[in-house]
Amino acid sequence: MKRYEEEKYRFENIKAQIYPWVRKELGDISEKDAPVVSFINDLRIIFVIKRGEDVFEVLKDDMLLPDCDVEALYYASCENLVRDVEFVIANTWYGGFAILADGWHEASSLCFKHIWQVCVDKLKDDLVIMAPTRETVLFAPASQKKVVGKLMEHGEQAYEQAENKDKISKGLMLFSKDRKELSAYEGEG
């Protein structure tokens, strides 16, 4: 019996519990045996199956049918996230903003162009975004250089204090109000 034929891995039994996680380091996950999608900078998206309240299992290739479409899997996992996780925008003490969710999926907010579009429309500015850990996503209007500097300090501190498995990146991203897309940030902090 193939692993994807086992009851606990049958796609119809797990498809509603698969979520995208943004990661830089894959740890003990190999791109040879797990579906991985390239993202911005050197970030990648892996997929996890929610097995319990705070229990997630990394989705491996042998848990999927051989003809599985990874792009379709990505979109389905994002739909699950929209259905199950509420993303809230909070103010930071230094004038920036943070994405709050459930402590597991904050970094997954990077997958949702509509979150960032609402923010640029409201702030009428490009956004500088940092996702130092899985539960920390920070952003600020790009034209507010002092706030962006504080965001970078906050993000670097969060990154340094996080456990290795929760670290994502100290790199910055930009959501452009004109191009309406997320990209690597090339400006100064």
Side-chain angles (χ1 to χ4, degrees):
M1 175 185 279
K2 302 281 187 198
R3 199 160 178 199
Y4 57 81
E5 294 171 329
E6 294 175 30
E7 197 61 31
K8 76 183 237 175
Y9 294 114
R10 293 180 82 92
F11 191 70
E12 59 270 9
N13 296 340
I14 63 170
K15 67 181 175 183
Q17 298 303 316
I18 297 173
Y19 302 98
W21 275 6
V22 176
R23 292 288 182 266
K24 180 176 180 180
E25 300 299 326
L26 298 179
D28 61 356
I29 302 163
S30 168
E31 290 190 48
K32 292 183 178 118
D33 60 319
V36 176
V37 176
S38 292
F39 201 54
I40 293 158
N41 293 336
D42 49 358
L43 300 179
R44 297 183 295 268
I45 295 172
I46 63 168
F47 301 95
V48 296
I49 307 164
K50 185 173 184 178
R51 294 293 190 186
E53 188 61 34
D54 289 326
V55 179
F56 295 89
E57 179 180 5
V58 173
L59 187 65
K60 302 284 179 94
D61 284 338
D62 64 353
M63 298 173 192
L64 296 168
L65 293 168
D67 61 349
C68 179
D69 178 348
V70 176
E71 187 175 340
L73 179 66
Y74 171 73
Y75 289 115
S77 69
C78 287
E79 288 175 14
N80 294 340
L81 202 56
V82 168
R83 180 194 67 222
D84 297 338
V85 178
E86 181 180 6
F87 294 96
V88 177
I89 297 168
N91 295 309
T92 63
W93 62 269
Y94 51 83
F97 302 91
I99 299 289
L100 304 177
D102 60 2
W104 289 100
H105 297 98
E106 282 78 358
S108 299
S109 66
L110 295 173
C111 299
F112 297 120
K113 181 178 176 179
H114 68 274
I115 289 175
W116 308 111
Q117 189 60 53
V118 166
C119 294
V120 296
D121 290 348
K122 189 125 177 124
L123 296 171
K124 297 181 181 1
D125 198 349
D126 294 342
L127 302 176
V128 175
I129 303 167
M130 185 179 198
T133 71
R134 72 169 161 81
E135 74 276 358
T136 307
V137 174
L138 308 168
F139 66 97
S143 64
Q144 295 182 18
K145 298 299 182 196
K146 282 187 177 179
V147 176
V148 170
K150 293 286 187 191
L151 173 147
M152 291 170 60
E153 289 174 24
H154 180 181
E156 287 187 28
Q157 184 178 25
Y159 183 87
E160 296 305 326
Q161 293 175 350
E163 293 182 35
N164 277 344
K165 65 180 178 57
D166 296 329
K167 290 181 178 186
I168 295 186
S169 175
K170 292 193 276 184
L172 299 176
M173 293 161 273
L174 180 81
F175 189 89
S176 166
K177 68 181 170 71
D178 296 330
R179 289 190 321 273
K180 301 178 189 291
E181 67 182 16
L182 192 62
S183 61
Y185 181 61
E186 304 299 333
E188 76 267 358

